[in-house]
Amino acid sequence: MTNPKLSIIIPMREGVQDSWLQEILKIQGSAEFILVYPPHVPFINISDSRLHQITSPLRGELIQRVTALLNASGKYVLSINCDEYLHPNIIDIAEDYFSNFPDSYFFRLNQVQFPFGDAPIDKPWDSLPKIQDIEVRKRETSKAYSEAEKQQMMREIPIVPFDNKLDLLAIFRGRKDQQGPHQENFDKKVWKNELVQKALKGVVPNFTLFGPFKYIPFWTADRLMGLSVQAGFFEPEKIAGHWLPLPEQLRTEDNPPNQPRKNRRYVLAEILLLRQFPSFGYIWNLTVFDRGGLFMVWFPKDALRKLAQKLGLKKPNVS
């Protein structure tokens, strides 16, 4: 069998409507759709030869995404959620992009968000210009581009600067090395699957602590995989990819009110990065000193603040 051009991998949850999958299956061209469900959640009853529905051994965004990635056989791979909609010509866009930028690791989709319950199913998709006709600019985080500018340019995304030095001053003033035009996350980007499969060979063994004992965090596959691929193929100052212009290629519906996107301890997965890439200062700064990192989690700053207030060394905040 010929492998598909694009593998689209999606972790599932309870209550996903058939209408969402029907829209996703409108994608044209050589694709496979890998949906991974938590245990005891029934499959959506839709038949399509491109559709593969799998039950994960455990519940959790990380294990469900990794299970899907391990089954992805496409030339390219894209990870989205079960409340997102893709441009029906996404495969043509991917082939156009990588034919013009064959050394890139990925490209990022341009995304538009909609409120929960207001899915843009009936809104037609606009065509994207040919990649070779789009102006390329350096990514500038300090500059806010107008909608007109976003429609006319494609922004460079440099690789994460893993060779940054360990920054002990981040204990006192917070991190600074995460600032810049690079991007850490995996989702919403079309990746070369060859790189992703090689990165998985380093990620998956780290789930084993010893013998039969495993450590698999519930969340944070997004940043874990994005950093693992870039670290595994790190080239200083490389342009790893590009951010496509408008019109959008991805539409996202907000999470249901009972499933907010918050309170996720990213460090629970990032300690796996530290185990795999201990020589990179950027990983140490991320894992130890980032908001929610090991130091910030265990450092009793709230208790010390209250003690300082009782001793009169610090005035309480007045709102």
Side-chain angles (χ1 to χ4, degrees), residues 25-236:
L25 291 172
K26 290 180 181 179
I27 289 173
Q28 301 171 9
S30 174
E32 67 176 357
F33 306 87
I34 304 176
L35 280 54
V36 178
Y37 294 76
H40 312 301
V41 175
F43 295 167
I44 295 178
N45 188 21
I46 292 179
S47 178
D48 189 300
S49 60
R50 303 169 299 167
L51 178 62
H52 309 285
Q53 301 191 78
I54 302 172
T55 297
S56 173
L58 299 171
R59 173 183 289 271
E61 178 260 354
L62 191 150
I63 187 61
Q64 288 176 234
R65 271 194 219 277
V66 168
T67 299
L69 288 171
L70 288 169
N71 284 275
S73 61
K75 184 176 182 180
Y76 311 115
V77 64
L78 168 62
S79 175
I80 62 170
N81 295 319
C82 53
D83 51 12
E84 295 180 321
Y85 300 82
L86 283 167
H87 196 295
N89 295 328
I90 185 62
I91 296 172
D92 291 339
I93 295 170
E95 292 194 286
D96 188 16
Y97 173 82
F98 283 110
S99 67
N100 283 274
F101 297 96
D103 295 330
S104 288
Y105 295 169
F106 63 83
F107 67 88
R108 176 174 172 173
L109 305 181
N110 204 303
Q111 176 184 7
V112 172
Q113 290 188 306
F114 293 83
F116 175 70
D118 189 23
I121 293 177
D122 298 327
K123 182 182 177 183
W125 295 85
D126 294 326
S127 298
L128 191 72
K130 290 292 184 182
I131 296 295
Q132 64 188 25
D133 297 330
I134 303 174
E135 178 187 359
V136 177
R137 293 192 193 177
K138 289 188 175 181
R139 176 82 170 94
E140 300 178 53
T141 54
S142 60
K143 178 176 173 56
Y145 294 101
S146 67
E147 292 300 306
E149 287 178 308
K150 289 180 181 178
Q151 285 186 321
Q152 298 170 1
M153 67 182 187
M154 187 161 55
R155 287 164 282 177
E156 291 182 343
I157 305 176
I159 200 165
V160 172
F162 291 104
D163 51 355
N164 285 353
K165 302 296 183 183
L166 176 65
D167 183 13
L168 295 177
L169 292 178
I171 297 174
F172 307 102
R173 55 159 167 73
R175 285 183 67 204
K176 289 187 175 181
D177 67 326
Q178 84 279 21
Q179 300 171 359
H182 59 276
Q183 297 188 7
E184 298 174 337
N185 292 349
F186 184 85
D187 296 354
K188 330 302 187 206
K189 299 179 177 74
V190 177
W191 295 79
K192 288 181 176 176
N193 196 21
E194 179 184 7
L195 304 183
V196 174
Q197 296 303 319
K198 289 180 180 178
L200 284 169
K201 293 179 180 179
V203 171
V204 173
N206 275 326
F207 295 155
T208 300
L209 296 178
F210 55 89
F213 294 98
K214 312 287 185 183
Y215 170 69
I216 304 176
F218 190 88
W219 289 109
T220 73
D222 188 9
R223 197 151 71 174
L224 172 65
M225 285 305 306
L227 289 173
S228 292
V229 178
Q230 293 184 73
F233 298 94
F234 177 63
E235 300 176 42

Side-chain angles (χ1 to χ4, degrees), residues 257-307:
N258 63 339
Q259 296 183 7
R261 293 185 174 98
K262 62 181 182 179
N263 299 327
R264 298 175 183 175
R265 292 290 189 183
Y266 288 95
V267 69
L268 297 177
E270 285 155 3
I271 57 177
L272 298 173
L273 286 168
L274 192 58
R275 183 180 181 186
Q276 188 178 358
F277 303 106
S279 63
F280 286 142
Y282 186 95
I283 299 295
W284 280 94
N285 296 333
L286 170 73
T287 307
V288 179
F289 303 126
D290 198 33
R291 179 182 297 180
L294 288 173
F295 182 81
M296 299 305 175
V297 168
W298 300 112
F299 185 67
K301 55 183 178 180
D302 292 336
L304 291 177
R305 187 183 299 115
K306 290 180 180 179
L307 178 61

